[in-house]
Amino acid sequence: MPDAAYPITGFSCGLDNAMPSRAAIAAACRMAEPEALAALLPAASLSAPQALAAREQALALATALRAARPGGTRDGLVQGLLQEYSLSSHEGVALMCLAEALLRIPDTPTRDALIRDRIGAGRWHDHLGHSPSLFVNAATWGLLLTGRLIGNDDLLGLAGTLGRLLARGSEPLVRAAVDTAVRLMGQQFVCGESIADALRRAQGPEHQGFRHSFDMLGEAALTAADAARHRASYQTAIEAIGRAAGGSGAYAGPGISIKLSALHPRYCRAQRERVLAELLPTVLALARQARDHEIGFTIDAEESERLELSLDLLEALCAAPDLAGWNGLGCVVQAYQKRCTAVIDHLMALATRDRRRLMVRLVKGAYWDSEIKRAQLDGLEFPVFTRKAHTDVAYLACARRLLAAPQQFYPQFATHNALTVASLVQLAEPARWQPGQYEFQCLHGMGEALYRQTWRHPGLERPCRIYAPVGVHGSLLAYLVRRLLENGANSSFVHRIADPAVPLAEVLADPLATVAAQAACDGTPGLPNAHIPSARQLFGAQRPNSCGRDLAADADLRAIAAGVQESACYDWHAAPMLARDHSGERARAPVRNPADRRDIVGTVSAAGPADIGQALAAASTAAAEWARTPVR
């Protein structure tokens, strides 16, 4: 559809109204959380027999999973560290800061200063001996020792002597140790440094029955050179994956996931026309390449302000004549967004219109913390649910919609939660299962153990695809931080299943029951998390924050455009604000639009020497009364 250009010099806003379902997406984003959740509850509910079967299956999975803890493997070592140093502890946050920052700090003195700040303040001795892992306890001893070596306490005895002798040399040791730990975590969460490495490493899991979707690490290109490098990386990867796939097809064989922000340095709503002109041909060429190799091609989800722009690009791909009839095109839906079901309805309209079956990866979402903070800072409604149980409910509601449209969707359920897995199997009606109906997905280094267990339980044998990031150590920052947050969060299934102190009944809490319990306490189902202040409440009850405009939302852009249209018809004039104004007697000078010097916005009357005296006299007259006015 051609853009609707607003006829105001210097102001243009392309808005696509091709499909009515897009309006529903915009409306859903503005819904209050209770209203959004109320619309999802009926679709998320299982029948009593389904709920009972799901709970029994989930309990069997969780019991087996906890009994088969990986111990001395790399998976077990990393999980042990994340378990001991959770993000609810000062030490866990300290390690998180180190893991995140040491990847991007280029100079040694700054790295050492960070280590001195983060490690020195930790209560590492509190963690000593807690973990059954020899590796974790050895790491704790190291952190305890280095914390004392670089701390400020005046220690007595041997520790104090050691500190005085070795303090100058301890920071390089810590830096080397933390760097090794970060690399260990990188190997845990990243499949390989190159696509060739990743394909070789993927052979083992593939022999066990896993499939793969490879993701070339890198997002948010800042320059055209960055975008060109990422494009070349995707092209190389598609060729290699295509050769390895051997024509096995988009469902049975490996595929690729791409991030649109990696392919254009101005991938944002404000640059819509440029993005459609420059990025669309690039994405279309990559999609054609994937089609030629018969592999899956999935557009990853990113921040919520980029959703509508990604739908513009997906709509263009769906309508491309040379991609007609190809069912390898896919996208990602984030269940933590309040508009998740509206997005699925839009995708259904697209698939129906263009007679194709879309691959849809359903995730819970990986940018929750940044979505909350951005909305607070910009004065916007939260685009995401503020309680995990609400997201879990939305996930089930989305899954029901996907499963109900087998001609339009090939669902790919990405989850590491045993209860979610069992609930989805029941929603899909186990008796109707057939290959190609749907698949599960998990993240490399996080969910494989769960799905190995599902294949051992009758009735749960469903295919699983591993989302496998590929990239060098220095490029994994953004991805690694999201994985550390996900693994270290106290509400994470992955985190809680590894903690024997948490009862399995609590690990497998039914989100619908959780919502009902909250409603019994709060009086209304779906109330936002009271511990997270909204944008209006950010500065407290006595100082309401201002409301912002979402410059990535078409509805807000239309309102702004209408305001600009209206203001263009007004005869604007600016003059000095004096106690006695005679602006009508002054000469008026034109004020021109800096973007188009032909456009006269209005006129201005400048102040002269007499006006300055008048302003000073008025200020002097008012000074006494102003001085008597209380500060409050």
Side-chain angles (χ1 to χ4, degrees):
M1 292 287 291
D3 294 336
Y6 289 86
I8 300 174
T9 308
F11 184 87
S12 176
C13 174
L15 301 172
D16 190 351
N17 294 309
M19 304 191 70
S21 51
R22 290 292 291 273
I25 294 174
C29 193
R30 286 168 166 74
M31 292 173 69
E33 194 160 346
E35 181 187 1
L37 189 70
L40 299 172
L41 284 170
S45 300
L46 280 69
S47 68
Q50 285 177 327
L52 179 61
R55 184 151 195 84
E56 290 176 349
Q57 290 175 327
L59 184 60
L61 280 177
T63 302
L65 193 59
R66 182 168 279 183
R69 293 182 67 182
T73 66
R74 185 186 65 246
D75 292 14
L77 299 180
V78 172
Q79 186 58 46
L81 273 175
L82 293 171
Q83 191 67 36
E84 181 63 33
Y85 299 107
S86 73
L87 294 181
S88 62
S89 69
H90 174 85
E91 293 74 31
V93 173
L95 290 180
M96 175 71 175
C97 290
L98 284 174
E100 187 265 353
L102 290 180
L103 290 172
R104 57 183 169 83
I105 296 177
D107 62 291
T108 297
T110 305
R111 288 198 295 267
D112 288 345
L114 179 72
I115 290 169
R116 190 180 311 118
D117 177 62
R118 293 287 87 192
I119 295 292
R123 295 178 56 85
W124 307 104
H125 57 277
D126 291 346
H127 299 269
L128 193 58
H130 283 194
S131 174
S133 167
L134 179 64
F135 172 82
V136 173
N137 281 303
T140 302
W141 268 112
L143 291 164
L144 173 62
L145 179 61
T146 52
R148 286 175 175 266
L149 293 180
I150 64 181
N152 295 322
D153 293 340
D154 184 17
L155 302 175
L156 302 175
L158 178 62
T161 304
L162 220 56
R164 288 190 294 273
L165 288 174
L166 300 180
R168 294 180 61 188
S170 63
E171 288 158 11
L173 296 176
V174 182
R175 185 181 348 110
V178 174
D179 184 69
T180 299
V182 173
R183 289 180 184 276
L184 179 67
M185 287 189 284
Q187 293 170 8
Q188 166 76 2
F189 297 124
V190 177
C191 191
E193 292 197 0
S194 68
I195 188 61
D197 292 340
L199 286 167
R200 281 194 296 271
R201 190 173 175 185
Q203 290 176 358
E206 285 173 357
H207 290 152
Q208 299 173 20
F210 286 102
R211 306 163 181 176
H212 285 81
S213 182
F214 295 96
D215 167 41
M216 309 309 292
L217 283 175
E219 53 191 280
L222 299 178
T223 66
D226 289 341
R229 185 174 65 255
H230 292 313
R231 181 173 64 249
S233 175
Y234 283 133
Q235 290 170 335
T236 301
I238 291 172
E239 286 297 322
I241 296 167
R243 289 194 299 270
S248 52
Y251 298 167
I256 192 166
S257 297
I258 69 162
K259 282 190 168 57
L260 296 175
S261 67
L263 292 168
H264 198 280
R266 296 294 181 268
Y267 176 58
C268 61
R269 180 61 182 81
Q271 298 288 334
R272 180 178 184 273
E273 289 77 13
R274 180 179 170 186
V275 167
L276 292 179
E278 299 174 5
L279 177 56
L280 179 57
T282 297
V283 179
L284 187 56
L286 292 173
R288 290 191 190 109
Q289 187 184 3
R291 176 210 57 195
D292 293 343
H293 285 289
E294 299 179 50
I295 67 172
F297 180 84
T298 299
I299 296 175
D300 255 333
E302 299 184 71
E303 295 85 354
S304 62
E305 64 265 27
R306 290 171 163 159
L307 172 64
E308 295 202 29
L309 186 54
S310 71
L311 293 177
D312 288 336
L313 292 161
L314 179 65
E315 184 173 345
L317 292 177
C318 287
D322 49 352
L323 298 182
W326 175 52
N327 289 329
L329 183 61
C331 64
V332 177
V333 174
Q334 298 162 314
Y336 68 10
Q337 287 204 31
K338 292 187 290 187
R339 50 188 168 174
C340 53
T341 52
V343 172
I344 290 176
D345 291 344
H346 174 69
L347 296 177
M348 187 184 302
L350 272 184
T352 302
R353 184 193 71 179
D354 298 315
R355 299 180 181 178
R356 64 167 65 248
R357 192 185 190 204
L358 285 170
M359 302 170 73
V360 178
R361 178 190 301 149
L362 182 63
V363 303
K364 293 183 180 177
Y367 300 87
W368 182 86
D369 52 335
S370 59
E371 297 284 9
I372 292 289
K373 181 50 61 179
R374 187 187 71 85
Q376 287 175 330
L377 294 177
D378 292 348
L380 304 174
E381 290 287 337
F382 292 139
V384 296
F385 292 106
T386 59
R387 296 183 189 267
K388 186 179 184 302
H390 298 176
T391 294
D392 291 342
V393 167
Y395 193 92
L396 293 175
C398 289
R400 187 184 292 276
R401 263 179 164 80
L402 293 172
L403 290 167
Q407 300 301 316
Q408 288 82 17
F409 298 130
Y410 175 62
Q412 300 170 308
F413 299 120
T415 178
H416 304 137
N417 187 304
L419 181 60
T420 305
V421 168
S423 299
L424 292 173
V425 169
Q426 293 302 317
L427 273 178
E429 301 180 26
R432 298 179 59 187
W433 159 253
Q434 56 182 339
Q437 183 186 6
Y438 65 92
E439 70 180 27
F440 287 105
Q441 291 197 4
C442 68
L443 292 166
H444 172 79
M446 283 182 63
E448 295 98 322
L450 171 62
Y451 289 99
R452 291 190 189 100
Q453 292 297 331
T454 65
W455 294 337
R456 296 173 184 156
H457 285 74
L460 295 178
E461 311 94 330
R462 302 292 185 268
C464 179
R465 186 180 305 273
I466 297 173
Y467 181 87
V470 181
V472 296
H473 177 66
S475 66
L476 60 85
L477 171 62
Y479 182 81
L480 178 59
V481 169
R482 290 199 293 273
R483 298 292 76 82
L484 290 173
L485 284 170
E486 186 164 358
N487 278 263
N490 287 349
S491 59
S492 164
F493 178 89
V494 174
H495 180 86
R496 303 176 89 197
I497 193 65
D499 186 354
V502 181
L504 287 181
E506 189 176 327
V507 175
L508 299 173
D510 180 0
L512 291 161
T514 301
V515 169
Q518 289 168 351
C521 293
D522 302 334
T524 303
L527 284 181
N529 190 328
H531 297 291
I532 303 174
S534 68
R536 291 286 285 171
Q537 302 166 337
L538 193 58
F539 304 115
Q542 300 303 315
R543 183 190 164 192
N545 191 15
S546 55
C547 294
R549 288 284 196 179
D550 187 354
L551 299 182
D554 286 355
D556 277 17
L557 293 174
R558 288 191 185 91
I560 293 170
V564 172
Q565 287 274 28
E566 182 180 350
S567 69
C569 302
Y570 187 79
D571 184 19
W572 294 99
H573 178 66
M577 295 186 296
L578 301 175
R580 293 183 301 278
D581 190 7
H582 304 287
S583 57
E585 302 171 5
R586 296 186 178 91
R588 296 190 176 202
V591 177
R592 298 181 181 275
N593 181 348
D596 184 349
R597 302 296 294 172
R598 299 167 298 176
D599 179 22
I600 298 178
V601 177
T603 58
V604 62
S605 295
D611 299 312
I612 296 174
Q614 182 179 338
L616 292 173
S620 179
T621 301
E625 182 181 353
W626 178 242
R628 289 192 299 270
T629 303
V631 172
R632 185 173 298 276

